[in-house]
Amino acid sequence: MKPQLADSVFIRACRREPVPYTPVWYMRQAGRSLPEYRRVRAGVEMLTACATPDLVVEITMQPVRRYGTDAAIFFSDIVVPLKAVGVDLDIKPGVGPVVGTPIRDKAGMEVLRPLEPDDVPYVTEAVGALTGELGGTPLIGFAGGPFTLASYLIEGGPSKNHDRTKAMMYGEPELWHELMERLGAITLAFLRVQVAAGASAVQLFDSWVGAVAPQDYRTYVLPHTGRIFAGLADLGVPRIHFGVGTGELLGLMGEAGADVVGVDWRVPLDEAALRVGAGKALQGNLDPAILLAPWEVVERRARDVLERGRVAEGHVFNLGHGVLPSTDPDQLARLTDFVHESSAR
């Protein structure tokens, strides 16, 4: 990592080192609320956009240009590495990822071959171009967590209760662990490609893992997530772990090997610090819907997040999930300035 990046406020906060102010970035896609994002995405399907380096660079840069965030999140989608190894899937607008042939037995799993760097040349190209353009602003690599990927593959698309997923997890544990091993290996390879190309940190989004009880997380998810984080350790970049509805799992998510645990809006950061325990930084956790309220409300709530975040050994300000498409970009611009100014030490 370039010295200027290692010394950036975001990387320092992730490493629990002293910072002049609390760094801030916004989860994906921060561009969804921007008119310039909608312009470049008009008529372009999500997976096409994710595989077009010029578009990836432009969309990744938009929130950084607009808000002056302290890090950029690589524009991608959790199913990109699955598509790259040959899984028959598509992202349907208003629905999400839809899998042509769901994986529900050993034979179905054969499609999940290891991911090679040559499978995703557009990722290497886009990351390389971005690190040049970002200069001293770190780029965060991006991948979906194994439970969330497994759920899409087993259910065939988004699911409210993850019934079939849990049926395999509980009823066919050997099959489940083989699926998770394959997904973990693909995810690890995908993140390593991004770091090799120049990403300065990584975030694993296990969006739906909050559907799992703590004892089941320990048995069925933790070994695989742990292998991903362990497989990144030699790269020396901060590793962030985030999931939605994971208040009961925060300690286990830290145990999996992340340096930074992302917290959604349901658990206050001072409480989250107790649950996660020592030796970790925290990220979060303003409710994205608060940005739809008047500025006075946003300011009051953001100040509360910053104050509670002081309890943590390191704090990266973020929302408790992705930016809502109906968010006024001016609110986010104002919020970024407020976080920087009011947290200045």
Side-chain angles (χ1 to χ4, degrees), residues 42-64:
V44 183
E45 291 183 352
M46 182 67 174
L47 285 171
T48 304
C50 293
T52 309
D54 292 355
L55 267 180
V56 173
V57 171
E58 170 58 24
I59 293 168
T60 302
M61 290 301 301
Q62 285 176 351
V64 184

Side-chain angles (χ1 to χ4, degrees), residues 44-56 74-77 80 83-84 119-123 125-126:
V44 183
E45 291 183 352
M46 182 67 174
L47 285 171
T48 304
C50 293
T52 309
D54 292 355
L55 267 180
V56 173
F74 185 65
F75 174 75
S76 187
D77 189 272
V80 164
K83 183 81 172 173
D119 294 321
V120 286
Y122 44 87
V123 170
E125 188 183 327

Side-chain angles (χ1 to χ4, degrees), residues 41-217:
R41 273 293 313 280
V44 183
E45 291 183 352
M46 182 67 174
L47 285 171
T48 304
C50 293
T52 309
D54 292 355
L55 267 180
V56 173
V57 171
E58 170 58 24
I59 293 168
T60 302
M61 290 301 301
Q62 285 176 351
V64 184
R65 285 192 212 116
R66 175 81 82 132
Y67 307 131
T69 51
D70 299 287
I73 179 71
F74 185 65
F75 174 75
S76 187
D77 189 272
I78 64 168
V79 299
V80 164
L82 300 181
K83 183 81 172 173
V85 300
V87 177
D88 173 21
L89 57 79
D90 200 8
I91 297 175
K92 300 216 163 143
V95 179
V98 177
V99 179
T101 308
I103 295 177
R104 292 174 186 161
D105 55 29
K106 198 162 172 58
M109 233 179 278
E110 292 311 307
V111 70
L112 296 173
R113 64 167 176 82
L115 177 91
E116 304 293 340
D118 292 351
D119 294 321
V120 286
Y122 44 87
V123 170
T124 301
E125 188 183 327
V127 172
L130 275 163
T131 50
E133 200 161 323
L134 283 162
T137 302
L139 177 68
I140 304 167
F142 166 89
F147 177 86
T148 301
L149 294 178
S151 177
Y152 281 120
L153 289 175
I154 296 165
E155 305 287 345
S159 167
K160 213 177 213 167
N161 302 312
H162 313 280
D163 310 0
R164 289 178 183 272
T165 308
K166 289 184 174 183
M168 184 191 290
M169 191 172 84
Y170 296 135
E172 300 177 85
E174 279 181 24
L175 190 63
W176 171 262
H177 284 298
E178 186 181 336
L179 175 61
M180 291 288 275
E181 259 168 48
R182 288 185 185 228
L183 291 172
I186 290 168
T187 300
L188 173 58
F190 189 56
L191 288 171
R192 288 189 71 94
V193 164
Q194 293 172 61
V195 176
S200 310
V202 294
Q203 175 157 306
L204 190 68
F205 285 75
D206 214 346
S207 318
W208 309 137
V209 80
V212 177
Q215 67 270 28
D216 294 326
Y217 181 92

Side-chain angles (χ1 to χ4, degrees), residues 231-252:
L232 296 164
D234 65 306
L235 301 176
V237 299
R239 298 157 295 176
I240 309 168
H241 194 12
F242 174 75
V244 186
T246 48
E248 299 301 321
L249 305 177
L250 289 173
L252 289 162

